Every structure is written in structure tokens, then in C-alpha cells.
Amino acid sequence: MIKVRKAGLSDTIQDLGRFGYQKFGVVTSGVMDAFAHRVANLLVGNEETEGTLEMTLVGPRLYFEEHAVIALCGGDLSASINGKPVPMWKPVFIEKGTELKMGPAVAGCRMYLAVAGGFEVPLLMGSRSTYLKAKIGGYTGRVLKTGDTLKVKVRNGQAEQIFSRLECAACGIQSADWTITKNVLPVLSDHYEIRVIKGRQYEMFSRESRRRFELGQFAVSSQSDRMGYRLTGPSLHLETEQELISEAVSFGSIQVPADGNPIILMADRQTTGGYPKIGQVASVDLSMVAQARPGNHLAFREISLEKAQELYLRRERNLQELKTGIALKFH
């Protein structure tokens, strides 16, 4: 059991999303940074589909009432135990009776905590993800509150092997002596260069708006949330104003409403949208967008669909190699 001694700003259980129900108007939801979520699960021996704790901007204080192995990935929320930093991107044994304290984000926006075995929350339409607006999924459909208790599922297979290898008596915490290669880790900063492909209505925008989109700098607004990132910066407009019929949208679609300020649709996006789309964030860069905080700047760089697919496949190979490497280590 893990008890929430002090809740963070927005702590929710998320997994890779709720698929197959958009035709009924049910949003996909799921983690904002899928790369960090997947790596965290792999590091503790879980399937990538297990739920993790997504913590945003300011993290919680968590008290472990039983031994556990965790992994922290994504943004840096300055995790510590008794004032000592807890290493990220590697499995860490936490002794029962220990308090894990998170603070404000010092890099990135969202940290993911995976626990060996996974969190005991019910599946709803095939997913453990929390969708806050509908109050469904995750931990009773809401953010964690002070006093809540998270149950941990029984470990088996690789999760139990990793736990057994790291378990120690009266050590407080103990981390693995290995981690993932640094060249696949995201570089977190206040400015991100985001690769995009042209949106379905790209050609409908004026030439000047297309130039501004490709060369301009856009700031992440404080009005951003899990549904969409609202951006401010150069104003974008269609060559000729017109109404569009709503159509399907996806994670990373860049819509431009009438005020000219683009919106990047994120994990809790609606199922359809009627604003023109000037771009689509390459899947491989969605994690970088998810780690951008209000006030950070984004610059968009166009790439071809083929290049976006190549980058995606390269990342998938990296994850597969990590999965194979962990399996061999504990074979």
C-alpha cells in the first residue's frame, strides 16, 4: 500500500489509453508522455500497458507501507527521500516505512512513477486511465487527494525478479547499478523544436500564416491542460475565412481557431474538431510537447511523413532493445 500524505497539483493514474470507443464519443485519454510511461514500466518489469502515476508540475508526498520497487521517468520533480535525491530512469527499491517526497518541477512538466506489479485499480472499457472531465477510470475517476491509499498488485515474472534482486534490509532505498543509455533520453529545456507534418488544411492558410508557423516561436499558455496546449505567438489565419465540417482529430493535431492562436490537441482531446489543422506533431515528439510547461516556447519544423515514420520506428527499436536488455539481465 502507498499512502498519499500530501497530494500534488494533479496526480492521476494513467495507462496507454482507452481505445475503440471514440465512435461513441469516449475520448482516448491516457498518458501525456507515453515514452516516459513505457520506460518506467519496463524498468520495474511490468508490461508497458500497466498504469503509472502521472504527476504534473508539483508532485505529492508518498508513504510506502510495504516494500516496493519503483521507477521515476519523464520530467524532474526533484524526488527525494530524507533530503537525498532519488535517481531517475532506473529501478529503485523503497523500504517500507519510507516517505518519498516530490517537489516542484525543475525540468519538464510531468513525472511518471511505475511500481513493480502495477497499481490495483479497475479496468474500465479496457483501460486504467483517468478521464477527469467524465470522472471515470483510474482512482475513482479523480486526482489523488491527501489520505488516499494506492494498492499494489501482486508481483510476478520479471517484476518479482527485479524486486528480489534489489530487496535489502534496513537500507532505506537501493537503486540498480544500471540504467538506460543516455542517447535515448529526452533533453528537457525551456525551448523545444517540434517536428511536424502538414495538416489536412495546411494549404488553406495564407502564405504569410504558413511562413509564421514554420519560422515563428510560440509560447505555451497557462490555459493549457491535458485536453489541449493553447499557444500564443504569431497569429495564423486562413486565406479565406470559411466554416469546416467537423472531422476526426488525433493526439498532436494542431488546430487554429478564429482568434489565430493554435491549439495542440493532447491526451484528453475531443473525438472530433471543426477548426482547420495547419499541422500534426510527429508522434516521436509528442513526449516533448507533453513536457513543455506554461511559458516554455515551441518552434515547429516541417518534416515529411516518411521521415516521421522513420523516427517513430527508430524509437520503437530503442524501446524493444531496452525490453530485450532487461529480459536478458534477469533471465
Side-chain angles (χ1 to χ4, degrees), residues 186-206:
V187 178
L188 303 177
S189 69
D190 294 333
H191 179 280
Y192 296 95
E193 191 165 286
I194 304 299
R195 291 163 289 195
V196 299
I197 59 176
K198 291 179 180 176
R200 276 174 52 83
Q201 289 80 35
Y202 176 85
E203 301 296 341
M204 294 171 61
F205 285 85
S206 68

Side-chain angles (χ1 to χ4, degrees), residues 52 76 83 87 131-132 137 152 198 206 216 225:
T52 59
D76 186 352
Y131 178 40
L132 294 173
V152 179
K198 291 179 180 176
S206 68
D225 57 19

Side-chain angles (χ1 to χ4, degrees), residues 206-242:
S206 68
R207 180 175 297 180
E208 178 60 20
S209 291
R210 284 181 268 162
R211 192 186 70 82
R212 289 173 177 173
F213 178 67
E214 292 160 8
L215 301 177
Q217 300 279 331
F218 296 86
V220 177
S221 162
S222 59
Q223 301 302 309
S224 302
D225 57 19
R226 283 180 46 88
M227 184 176 180
Y229 269 33
R230 294 181 175 274
L231 308 180
T232 59
S235 190
L236 309 177
H237 297 281
L238 297 178
E239 186 68 47
T240 304
E241 293 301 326
Q242 54 187 293

Side-chain angles (χ1 to χ4, degrees), residues 82-287:
N82 296 326
K84 296 181 179 179
V86 177
M88 296 179 61
W89 301 100
K90 59 169 53 181
V92 178
F93 173 79
I94 305 286
E95 188 180 22
K96 67 179 179 180
T98 298
E99 181 180 274
L100 175 64
K101 181 181 179 182
M102 314 288 182
V106 295
C109 183
R110 294 177 172 83
M111 173 181 269
Y112 293 84
L113 185 153
V115 60
F119 294 107
E120 184 68 67
V121 294
L123 281 169
L124 179 69
M125 289 181 274
S127 172
R128 295 184 172 84
S129 286
T130 311
Y131 178 40
L132 294 173
K133 290 184 186 295
K135 300 179 181 178
I136 62 171
Y139 189 93
T140 66
R142 61 169 173 80
V143 299
L144 297 185
K145 298 179 181 177
T146 299
D148 287 343
T149 301
L150 289 167
K151 294 181 179 178
V152 179
K153 291 196 289 185
V154 175
R155 295 177 296 274
N156 52 42
Q158 195 163 280
E160 179 59 24
Q161 290 176 330
I162 294 175
F163 178 89
S164 300
R165 191 75 63 88
L166 289 176
E167 184 180 17
C168 60
C171 65
I173 69 169
Q174 176 164 276
S175 61
D177 57 0
W178 53 273
T179 184
I180 64 175
T181 179
K182 288 185 178 179
N183 61 12
V184 301
L185 293 182
V187 178
L188 303 177
S189 69
D190 294 333
H191 179 280
Y192 296 95
E193 191 165 286
I194 304 299
R195 291 163 289 195
V196 299
I197 59 176
K198 291 179 180 176
R200 276 174 52 83
Q201 289 80 35
Y202 176 85
E203 301 296 341
M204 294 171 61
F205 285 85
S206 68
R207 180 175 297 180
E208 178 60 20
S209 291
R210 284 181 268 162
R211 192 186 70 82
R212 289 173 177 173
F213 178 67
E214 292 160 8
L215 301 177
Q217 300 279 331
F218 296 86
V220 177
S221 162
S222 59
Q223 301 302 309
S224 302
D225 57 19
R226 283 180 46 88
M227 184 176 180
Y229 269 33
R230 294 181 175 274
L231 308 180
T232 59
S235 190
L236 309 177
H237 297 281
L238 297 178
E239 186 68 47
T240 304
E241 293 301 326
Q242 54 187 293
E243 294 287 332
L244 300 177
I245 298 174
S246 293
E247 60 183 20
V249 293
S250 61
F251 199 163
S253 293
I254 306 174
Q255 292 186 330
V256 183
D259 66 4
N261 293 315
I263 303 171
I264 305 178
L265 301 184
M266 302 299 285
D268 285 351
R269 66 199 175 275
Q270 68 271 30
T271 56
T272 61
Y275 294 133
K277 296 176 285 297
I278 195 169
Q280 172 69 41
V281 176
S283 295
V284 72
D285 280 353
L286 286 171
S287 293

